Amino acid sequence: MQKDFLGLLPCALKVPFEEKINLFVEDSLKDIHFDYLVEANANKQLDYFDQISAIDDIEDLPDIFMAPGFNGFYYKAFMERFKNTGCFISINHKEINDDLASLSILDPHDDYTITCFNPTVMLVDRSFYVDLPVPESWQDLLEPEFAGKVAIRGHANDDFCEGILLNIFKDYGMSGIQKFGRSFKVGLHPAQMVKMAGRKREDAPAVSAIPYSFAKLVMDSERVTSKRVTIVWPKDGAIVNPVTTLVKKSSVSKLKAVLDFLAGADAGQIYGTARFPSLHPLVHNDLPQGAAFKWLGWDFILENDLEELIDELNIVFKASFQGAAV
């Protein structure tokens, strides 16, 4: 696995980021050997993080490693082996974007770098469920009227979106997970949610918990003209799924030019334009006015073994399905 840079990125971010880093390498690293790879996260994350679980030597990790979500970087075993030993260093600016001023998202120990994040919102489709009320918050989705009507990323033979399940559990406990399981209709990839929106199909979800980048694809499509299809930015906040970069302290001098690029406004604007809000203070993020965010929080992350907790939440969530399609 050892490389100078490995990026596992969501589909919506992979293409523009890969184009940008390719140009950077061609223009700025002509005389430096830089071994890098950008992969689609959906295809490769499990393979890579299975490998990571067996790694004990920091030298076997990439010098710079970028990946989304509450992945193996956030598991207690990984933190004990690496993060807590002080082998990583944050390259975040201490001042963050004004859009995100209320978030305490920077790693308080300056080990992990969060460059941007993938906000999850609601895509509400009432083209079939014409009398369904429009939810305003994540708590609304726990109510009985949404039973069997909500889509979430994932499948029954795999894990479901950990960012959503962790935040539901944090705010509403295990009973909240059970109620959310009652609301579950189908597990889908966000691209499938996009295709189903506005088709007036009984098998389509009334509400999809979907990344903002995919939700905007629906609303920008000529196919969706009905006012019955809307994006709801929850009043209690879009769920924050971080894109985290690990930087080895030992690589800082060798890869300074790369780190300056990754921490810079040009890379940050790639994230913001792709609707992955950038923490860089000079970036314009394409966000609704007054957009709120729901961040899991470092206290929760450090006080819990997320690996065990995610497994437990999936078990309870799946056990709560009521005849749902999986």
Side-chain angles (χ1 to χ4, degrees):
M1 182 186 291
Q2 216 288 327
K3 289 184 177 296
D4 293 321
F5 175 86
L6 174 60
L8 306 179
L9 296 178
C11 300
L13 190 55
K14 176 187 179 292
V15 173
F17 178 84
E18 190 170 25
E19 290 176 354
K20 192 72 174 179
I21 197 170
N22 285 344
L23 289 173
F24 166 76
V25 171
E26 290 173 8
D27 293 343
S28 303
L29 299 182
K30 295 177 181 178
D31 300 324
I32 301 173
H33 175 73
F34 180 60
D35 185 15
Y36 70 106
L37 179 65
V38 181
E39 294 266 35
N41 174 67
N43 298 328
K44 297 292 184 179
Q45 176 163 316
L46 287 177
D47 291 342
Y48 281 114
F49 281 102
D50 281 347
Q51 293 179 48
I52 282 178
S53 66
I55 289 176
D56 292 316
D57 188 343
I58 185 67
E59 294 306 316
D60 292 330
L61 291 175
D63 289 326
I64 307 170
F65 193 173
M66 188 176 186
F70 293 100
N71 53 51
F73 297 165
Y74 291 93
Y75 292 173
K76 183 177 181 180
F78 182 87
M79 288 187 164
E80 289 177 345
R81 286 201 310 277
F82 299 115
K83 182 183 190 298
N84 297 349
T85 66
C87 57
F88 301 129
I89 186 168
S90 171
I91 58 170
N92 274 125
H93 294 266
K94 296 311 173 188
E95 294 183 7
I96 70 170
N97 196 286
D98 286 344
D99 296 332
L100 313 174
S102 63
L103 279 178
S104 297
I105 196 170
L106 298 182
D107 180 356
H109 298 106
D110 288 330
D111 296 314
Y112 287 8
T113 302
I114 298 180
T115 52
C116 62
F117 59 86
N118 195 3
T120 298
V121 298
M122 301 177 196
L123 182 67
V124 180
D125 181 2
R126 295 162 69 237
S127 56
F128 181 81
Y129 300 97
V130 295
D131 296 323
L132 189 71
V134 175
E136 296 183 346
S137 68
W138 295 105
Q139 185 174 13
D140 288 347
L141 297 186
L142 310 185
E143 297 300 323
E145 58 260 41
F146 290 97
K149 295 182 175 67
V150 178
I152 180 175
R153 177 180 59 78
H155 298 282
N157 60 353
D158 199 352
D159 284 350
F160 288 88
C161 179
E162 74 282 355
I164 296 175
L165 296 184
L166 287 167
N167 275 279
I168 294 290
F169 172 74
K170 178 189 174 187
D171 291 343
Y172 308 111
M174 204 59 81
S175 65
I177 294 293
Q178 292 170 330
K179 291 175 182 177
F180 192 51
R182 176 185 63 193
S183 298
F184 177 83
K185 179 180 181 67
V186 64
L188 298 171
H189 185 280
Q192 294 173 300
M193 299 177 190
V194 170
K195 289 180 181 179
M196 298 183 82
R199 301 239 183 231
K200 297 183 179 180
R201 289 167 44 174
E202 185 177 4
D203 62 337
V207 182
S208 294
I210 189 171
Y212 183 54
S213 57
F214 279 95
K216 288 291 287 182
L217 288 177
V218 175
M219 304 312 296
D220 294 342
S221 169
E222 294 180 1
R223 170 173 58 83
V224 178
T225 57
S226 171
K227 292 182 180 179
R228 295 190 183 279
V229 180
T230 57
I231 296 174
V232 172
W233 195 287
K235 288 183 178 179
D236 49 346
I239 288 174
V240 172
N241 291 289
V243 177
T244 306
T245 304
L246 304 185
V247 178
K248 290 181 188 174
K249 282 184 179 178
S250 59
S251 70
V252 170
S253 58
K254 178 180 70 171
L255 298 175
K256 183 179 184 304
V258 179
L259 298 177
D260 288 345
F261 161 75
L262 292 174
D266 286 348
Q269 194 58 61
I270 291 292
Y271 311 143
T273 301
R275 300 190 174 98
F276 284 65
S278 168
L279 272 63
H280 194 285
L282 300 182
V283 169
H284 171 71
N285 289 308
D286 184 8
L287 296 170
Q289 187 173 3
F293 299 98
K294 184 183 286 294
W295 162 240
L296 195 58
W298 285 101
D299 286 346
F300 185 92
I301 291 168
L302 297 174
E303 291 168 3
N304 290 276
D305 185 339
L306 294 197
E307 183 175 18
E308 291 186 358
L309 181 56
I310 289 169
D311 287 344
E312 183 181 2
L313 295 181
N314 272 277
I315 290 170
V316 174
F317 181 62
K318 293 172 186 179
S320 305
F321 296 168
Q322 295 183 344
V326 292

